[in-house]
Amino acid sequence: MESKHGILFKTNTGVELLIHIGLDTMKLNGKYFKSHVSNGTEVNLGDLLLEFDINSLNKEGYNLITPIVVTNIDNYIKAVPMLSEKEEVKILDNILTIV
């Protein structure tokens, strides 16, 4: 995304995912965000996709809830969260299963 507040990508199995950092952060037009990939980049497990300044976003009052949306969910039965919304996500955690 040009505003760098999220990433939309397609997995090797065809699942289309949108990761949107915070609510209303598109209004910042990229301020506090740094993208490490561009359109069409193939990414692998462990690749750094983007960075953001969490302290500045918090100071400006942005809610940092980060929705992960399956944009082509109609092609599947359902998306099942593998962690509760209160759990902290760690590297290599399975956070979503698509059935």
Side-chain angles (χ1 to χ4, degrees):
M1 299 180 152
E2 287 188 32
S3 58
K4 303 175 188 170
H5 70 282
I7 293 184
L8 178 62
F9 62 94
K10 187 175 189 176
T11 69
N12 290 336
T13 59
V15 177
E16 296 173 1
L17 292 172
L18 168 64
I19 301 173
H20 190 286
I21 309 299
L23 303 180
D24 294 327
T25 51
M26 71 291 242
K27 295 176 182 176
L28 292 168
N29 294 317
K31 184 178 178 183
Y32 307 128
F33 292 89
K34 180 179 181 184
S35 180
H36 290 275
V37 294
S38 58
N39 285 342
T41 301
E42 185 172 320
V43 297
N44 297 295
L45 180 66
D47 287 353
L48 180 59
L49 305 177
L50 65 84
E51 294 178 279
F52 58 94
D53 183 341
I54 194 169
N55 293 324
S56 294
L57 292 168
N58 279 326
K59 282 180 189 173
E60 290 208 26
Y62 283 92
N63 184 328
L64 294 179
I65 288 175
T66 300
I68 299 174
V69 179
V70 180
T71 60
N72 64 340
I73 194 64
D74 290 343
N75 297 343
Y76 304 93
I77 296 170
K78 66 178 164 176
V80 181
M82 302 309 291
L83 299 173
S84 76
E85 61 184 64
K86 300 288 184 196
E87 287 183 83
E88 181 178 328
V89 177
K90 297 175 200 68
I91 293 174
L92 298 181
D93 276 352
N94 180 9
I95 60 171
L96 189 66
T97 296
I98 310 298
V99 183

